C-alpha cells in the first residue's frame, strides 16, 4: 500500500493552489494558525448507489464530472475505499455510528423497506457523528436521504441533526415527491410540497444552508446525502417518465443516456455547493468529502471489478472516496490505504477535536494521519456479512475470502481485482485462516435476522445473473 502524489497539469495545479490561497487569505488565517484556532466545517457529500468508475477521476469516459474531479485535484483520492455494506441502510448505520452495523438491529436490514418490522431504526440514544459534533458546538444539518427509520420513533432530529430537509425512506421519485405522494419530501418532520427535480432541490437547500451558517459564523456539519443516481431512472428532462412508471423500482426503465443525465446533474449540484463555499469564504476551513453508500447498480460503471449492489464482490463494495481540506490535505494526492465507510466518523471527530463516546468505541480507524500525510499506510482487516445469498467476506491485506450462495473463494484482490482466480486450494492456509477469522468476528455481532430474504437482482430481472434464482 502506498501514499503517493498523482500527476496533473500545471494549469490544474495553479487553479487548485490559487483557490486555496485566496480562500485562506479571505479568512485571515495562515495555514498553521487556521488549523489550530478554528474548528473545521464539514460538508459530507454522499451519492446513492454510485459505482466505482461512475465519475471521471475514477475511470468514467462516457461523460465528465468536473466538479467531483476538482475535489480530487484539490485533495486526496482513495483507490481502495470500501462501503460498510452492499446496500443503503447498513452502510448508513456504519457511517453515522463509526461501528459495524451488525451491532444494531437496524444494521441487519438490507435495507429498511416495507417488510421491516415496526420499531426498527437507529436508536435516538446512540451516539452519532452529528450528535457528538453538536455537543461540541457544531450546527448540524442533513439534506437528502435518511433511511434509518421512520417517524414517530426515528428521525434525523432524534439522532443529532438540528435541521432536516429530505426523505425518510430509501428512494423517492425525482418529480413526484409532494406531501401526498407515497415518498414525500420532509421539512424537519413535516411533509412538504416543493416543485422541481429532486437533485436540484437538494442542491438548492445545501447552498442555502451554507449561506446560513456563513452568516451565523458557527462551525457546521452539512450531510448532503443525494438520492442520485439511485433509481427511478429519471434525468432532469424526464418528467414524462415520472408520470409513466407505477413503481419506483421499475424494471423496464433507464438507459445509459438517462444515467449520464442523472450523473451530470449530480455533479453540477456538487459544483454549486463548492461555489457557495468559495463565495462565503469558507473553503479554506471546510473539509469536503465525496463518496457513495455502496457499489453501483444496473447502469453503473464498476470497472475493473465485477458484481454490483447487493453483492460482496468488489463491484458491490468498492466506492469512490475523496477528501479536500486546504492546507491540511495535499493537493492531487492519491492513497492506496484500505479504508471503509465507518472510518469517517472517528476521522472527522479527530479533525474537529472531539472524542468518541467511550461506551461506544468506533470500529473504524481514525485516518487523519493518512489525510495529512503524517502517517504511513497500515494493513487493515475488514469484515462483511450480507444475508441475501448467504454472503460473507474478509479483506486482510491483499487477500479476500468470499462466500456467496454456498460457494467459497480466496482471491489476491490486488493482483486479481476482478475476482477470477480462486486460490482456496492453492493457498489453503490463508483460506482456512480467513474463514476462521470471519467466524470469530461474526460471533461478536448480532445474529442475522430470521426473516426470509430475496436476491435483489435475480436472473429474470438482470440477464447476466441468469444463474441466480430466488427461493420459492
Amino acid at each position: 500500500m502506498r501514499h503517493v502524489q498523482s500527476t496533473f497539469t500545471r494549469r490544474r495545479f495553479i487553479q487548485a493552489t490559487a483557490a486555496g490561497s485566496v480562500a485562506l487569505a479571505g479568512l485571515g488565517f495562515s495555514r498553521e494558525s487556521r488549523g489550530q484556532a478554528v474548528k473545521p466545517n464539514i460538508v459530507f457529500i454522499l451519492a446513492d448507489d454510485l459505482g466505482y468508475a461512475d465519475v471521471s477521476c475514477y475511470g468514467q469516459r462516457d461523460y465528465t464530472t468536473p466538479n467531483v474531479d476538482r475535489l480530487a485535484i484539490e485533495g486526496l483520492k482513495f483507490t481502495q475505499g470500501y462501503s460498510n455494506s452492499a446496500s443503503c441502510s447498513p452502510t448508513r448505520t456504519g457511517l453515522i455510528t463509526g461501528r459495524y452495523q451488525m451491532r444494531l438491529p437496524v444494521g441487519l436490514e438490507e435495507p429498511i423497506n416495507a417488510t421491516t418490522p415496526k420499531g426498527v431504526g437507529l436508536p435516538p440514544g446512540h451516539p452519532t457523528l452529528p450528535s457528538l459534533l453538536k455537543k461540541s458546538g457544531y450546527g448540524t444539518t442533513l439534506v437528502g436521504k435518511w433511511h434509518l427509520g421512520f417517524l414517530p420513533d426515528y428521525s434525523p432530529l432524534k439522532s443529532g441533526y438540528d435541521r432536516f430537509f429530505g426523505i425518510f425512506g430509501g428512494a423517492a421519485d425525482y418529480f413526484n415527491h409532494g406531501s401526498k405522494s407515497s415518498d414525500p419530501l420532509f421539512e424537519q418532520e413535516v411533509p412538504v410540497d416543493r416543485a422541481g427535480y429532486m437533485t436540484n432541490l437538494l442542491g438548492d437547500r445545501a447552498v442555502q444552508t451554507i449561506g446560513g451558517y456563513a452568516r451565523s459564523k458557527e462551525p457546521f456539519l452539512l450531510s448532503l446525502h443525494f438520492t442520485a443516481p439511485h433509481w427511478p431512472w429519471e434525468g432532469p428532462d424526464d418528467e414524462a417518465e415520472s408520470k409513466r412508471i407505477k413503481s419506483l423500482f421499475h424494471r423496464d426503465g433507464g438507459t445509459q443516456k438517462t444515467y449520464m443525465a442523472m450523473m451530470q446533474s449530480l455533479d453540477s449540484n456538487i459544483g454549486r455547493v463548492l461555489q457557495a463555499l468559495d463565495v462565503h469564504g469558507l473553503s479554506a476551513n471546510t473539509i469536503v468529502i465525496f463518496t457513495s453508500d455502496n457499489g453501483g447498480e444496473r447502469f453503473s460503471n464498476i470497472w475493473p471489478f465485477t458484481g454490483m449492489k447487493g453483492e460482496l464482490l468488489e463491484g458491490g463494495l468498492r466506492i469512490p472516496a475523496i477528501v479536500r481540506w486546504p492546507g491540511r490535505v495535499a493537493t492531487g494526492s492519491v492513497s492506496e490505504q484500505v479504508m471503509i465507510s465507518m472510518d469517517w466518523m472517528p476521522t472527522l471527530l479527530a479533525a474537529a477535536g472531539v472524542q468518541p463516546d467511550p461506551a461506544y468505541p468506533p470500529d473504524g480507524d481514525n485516518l487523519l494521519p493518512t489525510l495529512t500525510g503524517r502517517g504511513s499506510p497500515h494493513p487493515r482487516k475488514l469484515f462483511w456479512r450480507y444475508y441475501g445469498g448467504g454472503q460473507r467476506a474478509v479483506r486482510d491485506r491483499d487477500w479476500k475470502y468470499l462466500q456467496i450462495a454456498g460457494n467459497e473463494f480466496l482471491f489476491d484482490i490486488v493482483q486479481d481485482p476482478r475476482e477470477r482466480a480462486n486460490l482456496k486450494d492453492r493457498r489453503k492456509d490463508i483460506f482456512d485462516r480467513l474463514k476462521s477469522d470471519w467466524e470469530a468476528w461474526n460471533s461478536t455481532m448480532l445474529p442475522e435476522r430470521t426473516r426470509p430474504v430475496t436476491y435483489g437482482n435475480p436472473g429474470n430481472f438482470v440477464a447476466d445473473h441468469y444463474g441466480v434464482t430466488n427461493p420459492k
Side-chain angles (χ1 to χ4, degrees):
M1 295 180 291
R2 294 171 293 164
H3 186 84
V4 298
Q5 296 296 316
S6 67
T7 301
F8 54 98
T9 66
R10 182 174 181 272
R11 176 182 292 178
R12 286 182 170 184
F13 177 80
I14 292 171
Q15 289 172 339
T17 53
S21 299
V22 169
L24 286 165
L27 282 174
F29 297 117
S30 70
R31 288 187 171 185
E32 291 76 17
S33 65
R34 184 268 302 161
Q36 295 167 358
V38 180
K39 288 181 178 292
N41 307 308
I42 301 166
V43 175
F44 195 101
I45 304 172
L46 187 67
D48 198 352
D49 293 358
L50 182 87
Y52 182 82
D54 276 342
V55 291
S56 43
C57 59
Y58 278 86
Q60 178 57 252
R61 295 294 177 264
D62 294 335
Y63 53 84
T64 60
T65 52
N67 296 295
V68 173
D69 295 351
R70 175 189 169 187
L71 290 174
I73 293 167
E74 298 177 357
L76 181 146
K77 179 178 77 170
F78 286 100
T79 60
Q80 298 199 69
Y82 284 90
S83 58
N84 260 61
S85 177
S87 69
C88 310
S89 300
T91 290
R92 291 163 196 269
T93 303
L95 175 64
I96 200 170
T97 65
R99 313 181 86 210
Y100 279 114
Q101 64 272 15
M102 303 84 165
R103 297 189 184 279
L104 293 167
V106 63
L108 305 181
E109 301 300 307
E110 298 175 347
I112 291 175
N113 55 35
T115 68
T116 299
K118 292 182 179 180
V120 174
L122 181 63
H126 196 294
T128 64
L129 174 64
S131 72
L132 293 171
L133 289 175
K134 183 176 179 178
K135 287 180 181 179
S136 184
Y138 274 71
T140 56
T141 297
L142 171 60
V143 174
K145 178 173 167 178
W146 167 242
H147 209 189
L148 290 174
F150 294 97
L151 292 169
D153 299 320
Y154 309 104
S155 159
L157 305 186
K158 294 175 172 61
S159 288
Y161 287 106
D162 298 317
R163 302 178 184 88
F164 171 57
F165 176 76
I167 64 170
F168 273 87
D173 192 272
Y174 285 83
F175 296 93
N176 180 22
H177 41 62
S179 60
K180 300 191 186 312
S181 69
S182 58
D183 303 281
L185 270 168
F186 280 77
E187 179 84 57
Q188 300 295 77
E189 296 180 349
V190 179
V192 293
D193 294 294
R194 299 287 187 272
Y197 185 65
M198 176 70 80
T199 307
N200 293 336
L201 293 176
L202 299 181
D204 289 345
R205 180 53 60 92
V207 169
Q208 294 167 12
T209 299
I210 290 169
Y213 283 128
R215 289 186 290 275
S216 71
K217 302 187 184 306
E218 65 178 324
F220 65 88
L221 164 68
L222 168 58
S223 298
L224 176 52
H225 296 184
F226 283 104
T227 61
H230 193 290
W231 42 262
W233 314 111
E234 298 166 358
D237 299 322
D238 292 334
E239 190 166 5
E241 177 72 351
S242 168
K243 295 176 181 178
R244 181 191 73 84
I245 63 174
K246 296 181 174 58
S247 167
L248 297 183
F249 194 58
H250 57 307
R251 300 188 176 188
D252 63 348
T255 63
Q256 294 300 144
K257 183 178 179 181
T258 300
Y259 194 77
M260 177 178 69
M262 297 172 74
M263 283 299 305
Q264 290 180 322
S265 173
L266 172 65
D267 184 76
S268 175
N269 279 281
I270 290 171
R272 295 175 61 213
V273 170
L274 299 181
Q275 183 181 34
L277 293 172
D278 291 342
V279 166
H280 292 289
L282 298 174
S283 295
N285 194 40
T286 299
I287 302 169
V288 180
I289 290 164
F290 173 79
T291 188
S292 179
D293 60 347
N294 47 250
E297 250 270 20
R298 274 169 276 175
F299 297 101
S300 287
N301 183 355
I302 49 84
W303 182 263
F305 311 117
T306 58
M308 62 187 295
K309 175 183 177 180
E311 298 168 348
L312 298 187
L313 290 152
E314 294 291 284
L317 294 173
R318 289 286 277 267
I319 52 175
I322 302 170
V323 56
R324 185 189 77 174
W325 189 8
R328 299 296 295 275
V329 173
T331 59
S333 52
V334 177
S335 177
E336 295 182 7
Q337 172 65 59
V338 175
M339 58 85 63
I340 192 169
S341 305
M342 63 185 176
D343 294 339
W344 290 119
M345 193 252 212
T347 300
L348 292 173
L349 289 181
V354 178
Q355 294 296 318
D357 189 314
Y360 299 86
D363 293 311
D365 278 7
N366 170 15
L367 296 180
L368 190 59
T370 300
L371 301 185
T372 58
R374 296 176 180 174
S376 301
H378 56 278
R380 300 293 298 275
K381 183 179 289 187
L382 302 174
F383 299 90
W384 293 271
R385 189 180 77 192
Y386 202 78
Y387 193 27
Q391 299 178 64
R392 289 90 173 84
V394 181
R395 167 80 192 259
D396 185 12
R397 296 179 182 261
D398 294 350
W399 295 102
K400 180 178 177 182
Y401 163 76
L402 175 68
Q403 181 181 140
I404 184 168
N407 301 305
E408 293 182 301
F409 305 87
L410 177 69
F411 301 113
D412 181 334
I413 210 65
V414 173
Q415 298 298 321
D416 177 26
R418 290 182 63 74
E419 297 171 286
R420 297 304 199 194
N422 187 1
L423 305 177
K424 71 172 185 175
D425 296 325
R426 184 173 169 184
R427 296 304 308 267
K428 188 174 184 304
D429 56 332
I430 297 174
F431 174 81
D432 290 343
R433 176 173 60 82
L434 294 189
K435 185 174 180 179
S436 176
D437 288 348
W438 187 91
E439 295 291 349
W441 167 82
N442 189 53
S443 69
T444 67
M445 299 293 134
L446 294 177
E448 291 179 301
R449 69 186 201 185
T450 57
R451 304 192 313 280
V453 68
T454 59
Y455 290 104
N457 296 293
N460 64 336
F461 181 10
V462 179
D464 63 5
H465 282 49
Y466 55 86
V468 179
T469 59
N470 274 314
K472 295 182 180 179

